[in-house]
Amino acid sequence: MKSENQILYYQLLYILCYCLNDFIKVEIVVDIFCYLEYGIEFIIQYVENTPWNFFKVVEQCCSLYKLKPELQSSINHILTGMYKLAPHHSITIRNILVEKRILPNIILAITKDIIHDELTFINSVMGKNSKWFIQDKQCTQYINWIKSKMHQEISFQMSMNSDSVDIYIPFRIICGLAGLINKLHFDSDELNLYMDVVRQSQNHRMTQLSLCFMLICWDQISSYSKESLVELMGNLLRSEYSEMTLMLGVYSHTNQMFEIVHLVRNILRIDIDIPKTSLPGMRYLITQTLINESEITKRSLYLPKTKMSKNENFSFSIVYQLLRGKVFHKGNVDVKDWIMYQILNISLPIHHLIQPILKEYIEGILTTNSITKIPEDHIYNYLKDINESPQPSQIILLFYVLMFNEIVQQFPHHSTISEYETKFLENIPIKYILHYVENKKEFSAIYPSFVKCIAYQFPHLYNTTNNIMEEEIDNNTSLIIPYFRQVDIINCINNSKNDMIIDNEGIKFDPENIKKNLLQSKNDNKMILLALRYINSLKTHQKIPYCDIILSTIIPRIIELNDDNDLIVDEFVEIWKSLNTVIPNKLWVATLNNFQKEKRGSDYNYQDLIENPMILFTCDQRIYSNPKLLEIFLLTLEFVMMASRHYYRHEYNIHLVRGNNINNMFRDLHLSTLLYIQETSLFQTLIEISQIEKKKSTNEKHKEAILSLIFNFINQRFIENPKYIKLIHFQTYAVDIIPDMVKYVPSMHVCFDFIPELLSITNIESQIFGIHLSGYVFMKYPVARSHALAKDVVIPKIKHMALPFINFTSQIQNQINNEISLNNLGNIVESIPDYLVEVIPVLVNICKAFPNIIHLVSDLLHKMKPINDSQFKSLVLNNAIAFKQSKTNLLFQIGKVISETTIKMASLIKNENQNLNLKK
């Protein structure tokens, strides 16, 4: 039809376009006519006759291209016709296609035929994720055109000025094409031109691009002589213009081939690929011929030492990669001075590579002789004066010391490198520094590792008691600022002096002046209280300078004057607890030294304390009589116990790591046993102190406070480690202490687990102790388990102990019938144990706990003494000639105890019957 009547065809087409525009959406028109024989031509005519639908058609074509692959050829023809139909819309069409990342052939066609901005456009579109643009099969016909245009541009720029910035763009495009298209090859003329560009690189950017070109095209340029390549590469790598040259050397020496690819991609900002066959040859040339380990390490350490973030990042990255790749080891270059410089000149925020660099540096110290650690005197001199605002360099240096000691402990069989001595840490407010770091985002790069190091080496800073104490301090923080506390002190001084009025400027509130003017023993309670309140109103870290002054003045006052002023003591205890959250080690030692009754020749130090916690009990005995001071004493003991346990564990691990335990003579089990012995000795001493104070005190309320503190401390330790309970009770203690232990220590129910074992050991004293313990524990916890123990274990054990006496009473009954000789009776009496006098009364406690087994106990008592008192006494006297006088007294004592126990049993039966009647 079209060929027969051309005019009629276009007239009908025109009419159809207008009809369709009124009744059918553009999207449907495009979708339908793409499938028809002359549909492409119709769509072009449709756009020509309805120009307002131009971009709707473009958008629909783009959508169909992705959704319907069978229409891609038609879409190609439609869009080609449309940009030719309206050349002024070509740039918009190109932008749409670039945004949607489709049809790169049309994009290049528009660029070539219409816009003619191939240099700037291809440079802009060739970036990250640009493979869709270059590697499309339909673009093959345009690749040679791009390559030719870039060659022409580079040739022109070289003829004008080899140092021109205008050469950067075409040379970058050439590098990108070579890296994106695997089979792209340059002819000899092109290679020679590009190699001339490389030879004449004289600035930062061109050095980078030249190295990228040589890396990408190494297979093609390898045809050049080795000498010329070595010379060319050497000039580039030794160039001072580019950081990339140093990074390339670092990655080559550390065999990080992917990092080289990543480096080239970042320089070009194009996701290129470097042929795998190129990298080994390039790496061999760099490492074996151009830059050895010694040169690359020295160059990295002599980088400009500046705090500019760009240079700092680059310097840190270089040194980290070299440390990680053990290049410093191979080059015998010491990195110590560089590390120390970086620490002392650290800037905020802390660089994210500081922690990995320090870790690699420490491991390097332990694996090679060429890398040395920072001298101890340098560290001590720099850390000895940490104030309330620690310097970043001090924090990083402390972090280095802690990390070094932790890694040394974990490094196997290394005896030549020792840890840093940590005695100086006693005076460093580690906990405060940790809080300081925690609250500053600038230290986020090291905070997790910093916490880990402190928790590993100072676990006593993280126990439950300490955490609770910190929360209490936060909740009880004074709302009154220090200024008003100063005003209170000034007013108090003015009221006490009629002849002199002073103001806030007339007295200094530094530690020395407070000690000299306010905390003297001659001062009244009000002045001392105001001074303590002022100190307590300060922030926690501001209280640190007052530590020694407060302890040395307030503790003796409380002890010597028997100061019972609760307000003063409460303020002192609150200050002590707050100081314990920031300088615990120093505080414990100072507390111990001020608890002494008489001044020693030399004060105890932290090492003395953790090696032998028992020295805490050398303090003035009056400490135990003051509940507030006793509380501080027990807190100190708790923390010191944990620190001591860690100290000995740490020493043992070092002993193992250094291979000093070759014959396995001292094992972990031995260490655990020794630690348990040490710690249970502390508990035993506390138990003894509780009884001494109980006897001394006449005030019931005061006595209750002392016993509650001591036994609550013991209970907390029992809860933390139930093994303590068994160890303490197998060691035994005075029987008269058992009631207090059961009363004040709720965890004593754990004794149910080992009572059968305690009663089965051969030591009689332990068995007697176990029976007494059972009686009191059963009374406190009358449950099914204790009932079974009483019925099946304890009562049978008492019966077994009483068998010789039961045998004796049964035999003396037969004396009337002359059924036994005096000699045999004497032998029986000799076998009766003395401890029956102690054991039998326990039956009363058992029956109080379990009235339903009174009949069982009554039967046992009847077997022990089946006759009344007068008969028993008469029979014993009649046969006294057969045994010693001491045994006669023993028999009378046992008989008396049985009678008293029987009376108590009768009373229990009576009370039980009355209770039953009341229930009815």
Side-chain angles (χ1 to χ4, degrees):
M1 175 182 176
K2 178 181 177 181
S3 57
E4 295 174 358
N5 197 331
Q6 191 81 6
I7 297 175
L8 179 62
Y9 170 78
Y10 282 110
Q11 288 177 341
L12 291 174
L13 195 61
Y14 179 79
I15 295 170
L16 181 61
C17 288
Y18 270 96
C19 293
L20 291 175
N21 184 65
D22 291 336
F23 299 104
I24 303 177
K25 290 183 178 181
V26 175
E27 292 79 2
I28 298 175
V29 172
V30 175
D31 198 1
I32 293 174
F33 280 89
C34 277
Y35 288 97
L36 301 180
E37 181 179 358
Y38 298 106
I40 296 173
E41 185 177 352
F42 171 79
I43 291 173
I44 300 298
Q45 290 295 323
Y46 175 73
V47 172
E48 186 176 3
N49 289 291
T50 58
W52 55 87
N53 289 325
F54 186 90
F55 288 108
K56 289 184 180 180
V57 173
V58 173
E59 289 291 342
Q60 181 62 18
C61 287
C62 292
S63 299
L64 291 176
Y65 185 84
K66 291 183 177 182
L67 295 175
K68 298 182 177 182
E70 69 275 11
L71 297 180
Q72 288 182 356
S73 177
S74 299
I75 299 298
N76 253 303
H77 288 92
I78 292 171
L79 291 176
T80 301
M82 288 182 69
Y83 86 74
K84 290 180 178 179
L85 175 67
H88 57 287
H89 287 318
S90 296
I91 192 167
T92 305
I93 295 173
R94 188 177 71 174
N95 291 341
I96 292 172
L97 297 179
V98 169
E99 182 181 350
K100 296 181 180 296
R101 295 188 178 186
I102 58 173
L103 295 167
N105 58 311
I106 294 181
I107 294 172
L108 290 172
I110 292 173
T111 304
K112 180 183 178 182
D113 300 337
I114 307 295
I115 304 177
H116 306 295
D117 62 345
E118 55 271 5
L119 194 64
T120 54
F121 172 72
I122 295 174
N123 183 61
S124 64
V125 80
M126 191 177 288
K128 299 290 184 181
N129 302 316
S130 58
K131 291 183 179 180
W132 69 273
F133 180 74
I134 295 298
Q135 295 180 349
D136 191 281
K137 294 180 180 179
Q138 297 178 354
C139 289
T140 306
Q141 58 181 321
Y142 294 100
I143 295 301
N144 289 331
W145 167 73
I146 296 174
K147 190 172 70 165
S148 174
K149 292 292 291 184
M150 296 307 110
H151 180 267
Q152 292 174 16
E153 182 66 23
I154 293 172
S155 179
F156 172 75
Q157 294 298 336
M158 286 292 290
S159 66
M160 299 297 295
N161 182 6
S162 62
D163 196 30
S164 172
V165 295
D166 295 331
I167 203 173
Y168 299 167
I169 293 176
F171 198 57
R172 172 182 177 269
I173 294 173
I174 286 295
C175 293
L177 289 176
L180 290 170
I181 304 172
N182 293 332
K183 296 182 180 180
L184 183 70
H185 291 283
F186 301 110
D187 57 35
S188 58
D189 291 338
E190 291 171 332
L191 272 181
N192 289 333
L193 175 64
Y194 302 148
M195 291 300 285
D196 286 340
V197 173
V198 172
R199 289 188 188 94
Q200 298 181 40
S201 299
Q202 296 180 5
N203 56 52
H204 177 213
R205 183 58 178 167
M206 277 310 301
T207 301
Q208 289 182 326
L209 293 175
S210 298
L211 283 170
C212 291
F213 176 79
M214 293 192 71
L215 287 167
I216 296 170
C217 302
W218 183 259
D219 286 344
Q220 297 188 55
I221 65 175
S222 58
S223 58
Y224 285 80
S225 67
K226 181 179 179 181
E227 291 77 10
S228 61
L229 288 177
V230 169
E231 180 182 1
L232 189 56
M233 281 295 296
N235 292 335
L236 290 175
L237 290 174
R238 294 183 180 89
S239 169
E240 297 180 359
Y241 294 121
S242 176
E243 298 168 352
M244 180 189 176
T245 60
L246 190 54
M247 291 299 294
L248 187 58
V250 170
Y251 292 141
S252 296
H253 277 283
T254 55
N255 197 25
Q256 299 183 69
M257 296 296 100
F258 179 77
E259 292 297 333
I260 293 177
V261 177
H262 186 67
L263 178 65
V264 173
R265 288 176 177 175
N266 285 338
I267 296 296
L268 296 176
R269 298 189 180 279
I270 303 173
D271 285 338
I272 56 88
D273 290 316
I274 298 178
K276 294 181 179 180
T277 54
S278 299
L279 293 174
M282 175 68 79
R283 177 177 178 269
Y284 180 83
L285 181 66
I286 293 173
T287 57
Q288 301 300 319
T289 308
L290 298 174
I291 305 179
N292 57 30
E293 289 89 352
S294 179
E295 183 178 354
I296 195 72
T297 53
K298 288 178 180 177
R299 284 184 61 184
S300 66
L301 297 181
Y302 286 112
L303 288 171
K305 294 180 178 177
T306 174
K307 291 186 178 181
M308 293 175 60
S309 59
K310 181 179 178 181
N311 288 332
E312 187 181 71
N313 285 336
F314 175 63
S315 180
F316 282 1
S317 299
I318 289 287
V319 173
Y320 173 63
Q321 295 295 341
L322 292 174
L323 282 169
R324 186 181 175 193
K326 315 300 180 189
V327 180
F328 284 104
H329 309 36
K330 300 172 185 175
N332 291 321
V333 176
D334 194 355
V335 73
K336 175 195 67 180
D337 292 338
W338 185 90
I339 293 287
M340 190 64 180
Y341 176 87
Q342 296 299 336
I343 291 176
L344 298 183
N345 294 276
I346 197 73
S347 59
L348 294 178
I350 300 299
H351 197 280
H352 70 281
L353 285 178
I354 279 290
Q355 188 266 337
I357 285 175
L358 291 178
K359 182 176 182 294
E360 294 292 340
Y361 166 60
I362 294 168
E363 291 181 356
I365 294 171
L366 299 174
T367 53
T368 181
N369 295 327
S370 61
I371 299 180
T372 58
K373 71 176 186 178
I374 301 172
E376 294 186 1
D377 56 339
H378 286 33
I379 293 174
Y380 301 158
N381 291 335
Y382 203 73
L383 291 180
K384 66 182 180 181
D385 297 320
I386 296 181
N387 55 31
E388 63 186 51
S389 298
Q391 298 298 314
S393 55
Q394 291 176 316
I395 294 173
I396 298 300
L397 197 58
L398 175 61
F399 176 49
Y400 159 74
V401 172
L402 295 174
M403 186 188 294
F404 184 93
N405 287 352
E406 180 178 343
I407 293 176
V408 167
Q409 294 169 24
Q410 299 169 355
F411 214 85
H413 308 300
H414 204 294
S415 58
T416 58
I417 304 295
S418 60
E419 299 177 65
Y420 286 107
E421 289 289 338
T422 55
K423 291 181 181 179
F424 75 99
L425 296 178
E426 176 184 337
N427 296 316
I428 293 179
I430 294 178
K431 198 69 182 289
Y432 167 67
I433 292 175
L434 183 62
H435 290 318
Y436 180 84
V437 170
E438 179 184 11
N439 296 324
K440 291 189 177 294
K441 294 181 180 179
E442 294 88 345
F443 292 93
S444 59
I446 66 164
Y447 180 69
S449 298
F450 196 36
V451 172
K452 174 178 172 290
C453 288
I454 294 177
Y456 178 77
Q457 297 177 59
F458 303 97
H460 52 275
L461 300 179
Y462 290 90
N463 69 343
T464 306
T465 304
N466 217 354
N467 294 335
I468 294 173
M469 197 182 299
E470 287 184 15
E471 290 183 7
E472 290 177 352
I473 292 168
D474 292 339
N475 294 333
N476 297 333
T477 301
S478 175
L479 298 177
I480 302 176
I481 62 174
Y483 172 79
F484 293 113
R485 293 301 187 192
Q486 292 178 6
V487 172
D488 291 341
I489 294 173
I490 298 300
N491 291 337
C492 182
I493 294 174
N494 288 334
N495 291 335
S496 64
K497 294 183 179 181
N498 298 322
D499 57 341
M500 185 175 70
I501 302 297
I502 63 173
D503 56 19
N504 285 39
E505 300 297 328
I507 183 171
K508 294 182 179 180
F509 289 87
D510 60 274
E512 196 58 38
N513 277 303
I514 282 188
K515 178 181 180 181
K516 182 179 179 181
N517 299 312
L518 305 180
L519 293 180
Q520 292 297 318
S521 57
K522 63 182 180 181
N523 290 348
D524 59 11
N525 286 343
K526 184 177 181 181
M527 182 60 71
I528 291 176
L529 178 60
L530 290 175
L532 291 177
R533 282 179 172 172
Y534 163 70
I535 296 171
N536 219 359
S537 67
L538 300 172
K539 294 181 179 179
T540 302
H541 67 273
Q542 293 174 331
K543 300 175 187 176
I544 295 174
Y546 298 89
C547 175
D548 292 330
I549 293 167
I550 294 174
L551 295 180
S552 62
T553 56
I554 301 301
I555 289 178
R557 179 185 178 90
I558 296 174
I559 297 174
E560 296 295 339
L561 301 180
N562 195 21
D563 198 336
D564 58 354
N565 189 311
D566 290 340
L567 294 176
I568 289 179
V569 177
D570 288 344
E571 290 291 338
F572 168 71
V573 171
E574 190 172 341
I575 293 172
W576 190 96
K577 288 182 177 180
S578 63
L579 288 172
N580 189 63
T581 64
V582 288
I583 50 168
N585 297 3
K586 179 181 178 180
L587 181 68
W588 305 336
V589 176
T591 302
L592 170 61
N593 287 322
N594 285 286
F595 272 174
Q596 300 301 305
K597 187 173 185 179
E598 297 179 358
K599 195 69 176 177
R600 300 175 71 247
S602 60
D603 288 341
Y604 290 113
N605 57 42
Y606 182 70
Q607 194 67 22
D608 298 330
L609 196 54
I610 60 174
E611 286 182 356
N612 181 18
M614 281 296 292
I615 64 175
L616 277 169
F617 292 99
T618 63
C619 67
D620 193 326
Q621 301 299 304
R622 291 173 290 179
I623 298 292
Y624 310 133
S625 301
N626 188 303
K628 293 294 183 179
L629 293 182
L630 179 60
E631 179 186 3
I632 289 176
F633 173 84
L634 293 173
L635 285 171
T636 305
L637 178 60
E638 176 185 350
F639 299 136
V640 169
M641 281 178 58
M642 184 177 294
S644 179
R645 173 171 281 268
H646 170 73
Y647 167 75
Y648 282 111
R649 282 283 174 198
H650 166 72
E651 291 297 312
Y652 175 70
N653 291 334
I654 292 295
H655 185 74
L656 290 181
V657 166
R658 293 180 179 173
N660 296 332
N661 199 23
I662 297 174
N663 296 325
N664 206 21
M665 296 295 290
F666 190 83
R667 302 181 182 179
D668 185 80
L669 179 62
H670 300 148
L671 176 62
S672 297
T673 303
L674 289 175
L675 290 173
Y676 278 127
I677 291 172
Q678 172 180 275
E679 290 159 2
T680 52
S681 299
L682 298 172
F683 300 150
Q684 293 284 15
T685 306
L686 277 177
I687 292 171
E688 293 173 8
I689 290 172
S690 71
Q691 295 311 297
I692 295 172
E693 293 302 317
K694 181 180 179 181
K695 294 173 183 177
K696 283 169 50 178
S697 180
T698 56
N699 186 318
E700 288 298 323
K701 186 177 180 181
H702 180 269
K703 183 194 301 183
E704 185 77 12
I706 297 294
L707 295 180
S708 295
L709 282 170
I710 292 176
F711 287 115
N712 183 60
F713 173 85
I714 294 173
N715 181 59
Q716 290 300 320
R717 306 293 79 73
F718 284 179
I719 292 172
E720 290 171 4
N721 190 348
K723 286 184 179 180
Y724 287 136
I725 305 179
K726 184 174 182 180
L727 290 171
I728 288 289
H729 289 90
F730 271 68
Q731 293 171 1
T732 74
Y733 45 84
V735 171
D736 56 355
I737 302 177
I738 294 177
D740 288 331
M741 285 286 287
V742 174
K743 178 181 178 181
Y744 294 102
V745 182
S747 56
M748 286 290 285
H749 63 83
V750 177
C751 295
F752 294 157
D753 295 338
F754 57 79
I755 281 177
E757 186 181 354
L758 184 59
L759 296 181
S760 65
I761 61 179
T762 56
N763 186 281
I764 293 298
E765 286 76 12
S766 297
Q767 293 180 21
I768 297 170
F769 177 84
I771 290 173
H772 280 280
L773 176 66
S774 303
Y776 287 105
V777 174
F778 293 167
M779 287 177 64
K780 181 72 178 290
Y781 303 103
V783 295
R785 188 178 182 191
S786 56
H787 181 275
L789 286 172
K791 186 177 180 181
D792 301 333
V793 178
V794 180
I795 294 177
K797 183 65 179 179
I798 296 174
K799 182 178 180 181
H800 176 75
M801 289 178 167
L803 281 178
F805 186 77
I806 294 172
N807 190 22
F808 167 76
T809 54
S810 66
Q811 295 297 339
I812 59 175
Q813 280 186 301
N814 299 328
Q815 186 66 34
I816 300 172
N817 301 324
N818 295 318
E819 296 178 6
I820 187 168
S821 65
L822 292 179
N823 291 332
N824 289 338
L825 188 60
N827 293 333
I828 294 173
V829 171
E830 287 297 325
S831 65
I832 296 174
D834 297 351
Y835 52 77
L836 277 181
V837 178
E838 301 178 53
V839 168
I840 292 172
V842 176
L843 293 169
V844 176
N845 290 340
I846 295 175
C847 289
K848 286 180 180 178
F850 308 110
N852 62 340
I853 59 175
I854 290 178
H855 66 281
L856 186 65
V857 175
S858 298
D859 292 342
L860 175 58
L861 292 173
H862 182 70
K863 287 182 180 180
M864 291 183 187
K865 191 181 173 188
I867 55 180
N868 59 40
D869 289 344
S870 60
Q871 288 178 315
F872 179 78
K873 185 175 181 179
S874 175
L875 288 172
V876 170
L877 290 174
N878 290 338
N879 293 280
I881 192 173
F883 36 83
K884 299 176 183 178
Q885 181 63 37
S886 60
K887 287 296 181 180
T888 302
N889 295 334
L890 174 63
L891 292 173
F892 284 143
Q893 290 177 15
I894 294 174
K896 182 180 178 182
V897 168
I898 293 174
S899 297
E900 292 173 350
T901 304
T902 303
I903 292 171
K904 292 178 181 179
M905 296 297 299
S907 177
L908 288 175
I909 293 172
K910 181 179 178 181
N911 292 335
E912 184 67 18
N913 291 334
Q914 289 176 351
N915 291 334
L916 289 174
N917 292 331
L918 288 174
K919 289 179 180 179
K920 291 179 180 179

